[in-house]
Amino acid sequence: MPDRTPKALRKAIAEHAPKLLPDFDAHWKRAIADTFDLGPAPAFMAFWWGEYALARDPELDAHVQDLELRASEATDNAEAKALLEEAARIRHRVQQLEPGE
């Protein structure tokens, strides 16, 4: 993982997960640049930190997407809840990654 700064994260996304870059840039523009408000920056970084962490591990990313898809198609509420909770646990775990990991 890169340094925990917007600039370092953007560089890492551009190098290792370029498919995310247009959305990253659009979100930055909408949430930070156009508003001149740094208040949303921590939430922005948390969101994109997790998105990048998943994108750099294609197998894990596919697994999370599969869990979420299966949850959306589940007809049993308990099954859908369990699938979404597992996806959430993985998303939470990648949020905890530190620079250099």
Side-chain angles (χ1 to χ4, degrees):
M1 293 299 287
D3 287 339
R4 210 179 270 265
T5 66
K7 184 176 181 178
L9 182 56
R10 186 186 187 285
K11 181 179 180 208
I13 288 171
E15 290 177 9
H16 305 289
K19 68 180 183 174
L20 296 179
L21 196 56
D23 289 339
F24 177 93
D25 286 344
H27 188 188
W28 177 263
K29 186 176 186 318
R30 183 179 66 252
I32 312 294
D34 286 352
T35 65
F36 297 95
D37 182 4
L38 294 178
F44 175 90
M45 283 299 295
F47 175 79
W48 284 102
W49 190 260
E51 291 301 300
Y52 171 69
L54 285 176
R56 73 183 190 142
D57 184 341
E59 286 183 29
L60 185 59
D61 192 21
H63 178 62
V64 169
Q65 288 180 26
D66 180 61
L67 290 169
E68 293 170 343
L69 176 63
R70 289 172 38 212
S72 75
E73 296 171 343
T75 56
D76 178 69
N77 285 342
E79 178 187 5
K81 181 181 177 194
L83 291 164
L84 289 174
E85 286 175 346
E86 177 61 20
R89 276 191 290 278
I90 293 168
R91 287 184 177 280
H92 181 73
R93 188 174 69 233
V94 300
Q95 289 285 340
Q96 306 308 311
L97 292 173
E98 294 294 331
E101 289 187 281

